Amino acid sequence: MILERFRLDGQVALVTGGSRGIGLAIAHALGEAGARLILSSRTPRPDAVYGLEAKGYEVHYIQADLGNSADAARLVEKAAAVAGRIDILVNNAGISRHGATETFADTDYDAVMTINVDSMFKACRAAIPLMRGQGGGVILNIGSISGLVSNIPQQQVAYNTSKGAVHMMTRSLASDLAPDNIRVNAIAPGYITTDMTNGGLANPDWAPTWMQMTPMGRPGSAEEVATAALFLCSPAASYVTGEVLVVDGGYTAR
């Protein structure tokens, strides 16, 4: 009976940035739980869709460039038109830029804020009326430990700021939307082995500090984030909203 509460049979889940890394792992977890999947990414990766279909999951793909924040609302509208509804919105798309603040380029700052914050806000804004009309839904935002602590040794003020905004957006939306039966939560991953972090994990100046500050002494896997996502998206978390679930091997415990 308890395991049944993790099932998502018949529900429609839209996953942005869903063609690789954490997003793709979340798509696999939601698909295994029975969700109908809609993946989106800036760059089409047919192999990601084929891999999901090979597992027997129902998958649709919609290309969208969330570097253009107007695409966020269009993506939600297209997804709803394809599937007839959206029960779960996973805002996973994001980018990172590093560098000293005094020399940080406007173009880099704008890109980080547009994708990590503006597009997420606009995707949520577009999904809310749909979910309200359906009687409820789930929004899951992917934040970061960088929204909770100032990581070292890399300098990344813009990225940290964007993820702090994601966490506050999550809490505020959760408070506003609880009467509509719309739950809103976030996950704050630590250092996870993905394309985004592989460069840093190979960096001899960064990786030793990262691992030293992580009590478990290793990076996490995308699948370890995906299982947390499944919990938050499923009826098993029916009384959980406004939370930022940290998945970081203990990094923020130190």
Side-chain angles (χ1 to χ4, degrees), residues 220-246:
S221 70
E223 289 72 23
E224 288 173 310
V225 179
T227 51
L230 173 59
F231 165 66
L232 291 173
C233 290
S234 75
S238 57
Y239 199 53
V240 180
T241 196
E243 290 301 313
V244 178
L245 177 56
V246 180

Side-chain angles (χ1 to χ4, degrees), residues 95-101 116 143-164 167 188-192 196-197 200-201 205-214 246-254:
I95 62 170
S96 178
R97 296 285 188 272
H98 306 101
T101 301
N116 294 4
S144 171
I145 58 169
S146 301
L148 301 169
V149 298
S150 177
N151 315 60
I152 58 172
Q154 73 277 20
Q155 297 184 59
Q156 52 181 42
V157 169
Y159 180 74
N160 294 0
T161 301
S162 74
K163 291 303 183 176
H167 297 171
Y191 292 107
I192 308 297
M196 182 181 288
T197 58
L201 290 169
D205 296 323
W206 294 2
T209 300
W210 292 0
M211 293 304 98
Q212 182 182 17
M213 295 185 68
T214 302
V246 180
V247 182
D248 71 348
Y251 185 102
T252 54
R254 286 185 168 170

